[in-house]
Amino acid sequence: MGIIVGAFGTLIGAGGGFILVPILLLLYPNEKTEFITSISLAVVFFNALSGSVAYSRMKRIDYKSGTLLSLATIPGAILGALLTPYLPRRSFDLIFGVVMILAAVYLWVSNREERVVIAGDHNNPVSGKKNPRLVVRNLLDAEGLRHHYTYDPFVGVGLSVFVGFVSSLLGVGGGFIHVPALSRLLNFPIHVATATSHYVLAIMALTGSLVHVAQGVFVHGLRRTAILGIGVILGAQTGAWMSNRVGGKLIIQGLAMALAFVGLRLILSEF
């Protein structure tokens, strides 16, 4: 299960928590919310760390932007981890299901092809370039493709605080929010968005996991976390390798279908 979660989570840049959490909810129906989220968030960290190493070799991570967004997720991640014990299990399942379906609908409706500029082509216009707040990024990956884009850092920071909170609260990593947001709201090319999202997730998930460790939540879940962690580390390498062979539009469609299935399954299980 860890290998599958790692491969698909890294392919779409979502960390795999949105797959793992509902599985854990079904496997352990009597466990508390904080137990489920603590295991998932720790596994997301191992997945994101392994995936980040693979994407680093591909030179697709925007480190400058990713570091800024990572720092913004930390306050939200701490708050989310602290509030998880106060969220009843039934409410958690329903909230998680609704969030999944809403995200799926948004992704499917707004899906469009990625924008990639061939190395050496500097004629690609970037909308809004005259706005002084916009940051211009120019990234050359290992395949020789130049990704040219701009984004508003203030929007990115505000978004990342929210992502950190929701991710830590639900134990899902937040990539299912961050990847479409980076792509749709901040104009990141989809492959850069998935790679940079993994870098951000690694820092965010580590922060949330350390809070859970301090709270003593991991007492009964260390062995399961370790076994799943080994699986996602292996799977993440496979997912990164697959990303070179799967188009950006197909990645988004796959993410949308997976989210809709998981959300519907969780909601129906409560009735």
Side-chain angles (χ1 to χ4, degrees):
M1 183 167 66
I3 291 175
I4 294 174
V5 168
F8 191 61
T10 299
L11 174 64
I12 61 180
F18 76 95
I19 305 172
L20 184 58
V21 168
I23 294 175
L24 294 177
L25 290 174
L26 296 174
L27 290 177
Y28 306 110
N30 298 320
E31 291 288 355
K32 294 181 179 179
T33 301
E34 61 266 30
F35 176 79
I36 299 295
T37 57
S38 65
I39 291 180
S40 176
L41 204 58
V43 172
V44 166
F45 164 69
F46 289 116
N47 185 13
L49 181 63
S50 178
S52 294
V53 171
Y55 281 129
S56 178
R57 292 195 297 265
M58 299 177 186
K59 298 182 179 181
R60 288 182 176 174
I61 299 176
D62 183 346
Y63 287 104
K64 183 177 180 180
S65 302
T67 300
L68 173 66
L69 300 179
S70 299
L71 294 175
T73 64
I74 292 177
I78 294 174
L79 181 61
L82 291 175
L83 293 180
T84 299
Y86 302 99
L87 187 62
R89 173 63 185 267
R90 181 179 175 85
S91 299
F92 178 87
D93 290 1
L94 290 175
I95 292 174
F96 193 89
V98 171
V99 169
M100 295 294 101
I101 292 178
L102 290 177
V105 172
Y106 171 75
L107 284 178
W108 193 270
V109 171
S110 64
N111 192 21
R112 66 171 184 265
E113 290 289 352
E114 62 191 301
R115 293 174 305 159
V116 176
V117 183
I118 304 300
D121 181 3
H122 303 285
N123 298 318
N124 188 44
V126 181
S127 61
K129 194 173 182 179
K130 294 181 180 180
N131 188 337
R133 289 199 325 181
L134 295 184
V135 174
V136 179
R137 301 298 294 145
N138 205 5
L139 187 69
L140 183 65
D141 66 20
E143 298 291 324
L145 296 178
R146 188 175 301 279
H147 306 271
H148 189 55
Y149 53 99
T150 65
Y151 72 95
D152 189 331
F154 293 96
V155 175
V157 168
L159 172 71
S160 295
V161 173
F162 172 73
V163 169
F165 173 72
V166 173
S167 304
S168 192
L169 181 69
L170 301 180
V172 294
F176 70 95
I177 302 174
H178 228 185
V179 171
L182 289 176
S183 176
R184 304 295 181 250
L185 299 180
L186 300 182
N187 300 316
F188 278 58
I190 185 61
H191 285 300
V192 176
T194 55
T196 305
S197 172
H198 249 58
Y199 173 69
V200 174
L201 290 181
I203 298 175
M204 184 280 303
L206 177 61
T207 302
S209 295
L210 291 177
V211 174
H212 285 305
V213 170
Q215 292 176 317
V217 178
F218 273 114
V219 175
H220 303 295
L222 285 176
R223 187 169 64 88
R224 280 168 282 196
T225 301
I227 295 173
L228 285 167
I230 293 173
V232 297
I233 288 174
L234 298 174
Q237 299 299 311
T238 302
W241 174 80
M242 291 170 59
S243 70
N244 274 334
R245 294 154 178 80
V246 179
K249 186 174 183 179
L250 189 59
I251 291 176
I252 293 295
Q253 289 177 338
L255 175 56
M257 289 188 292
L259 291 179
F261 174 78
V262 169
L264 186 60
R265 178 67 182 85
L266 276 179
I267 292 175
L268 292 178
S269 69
E270 291 303 317
F271 295 96

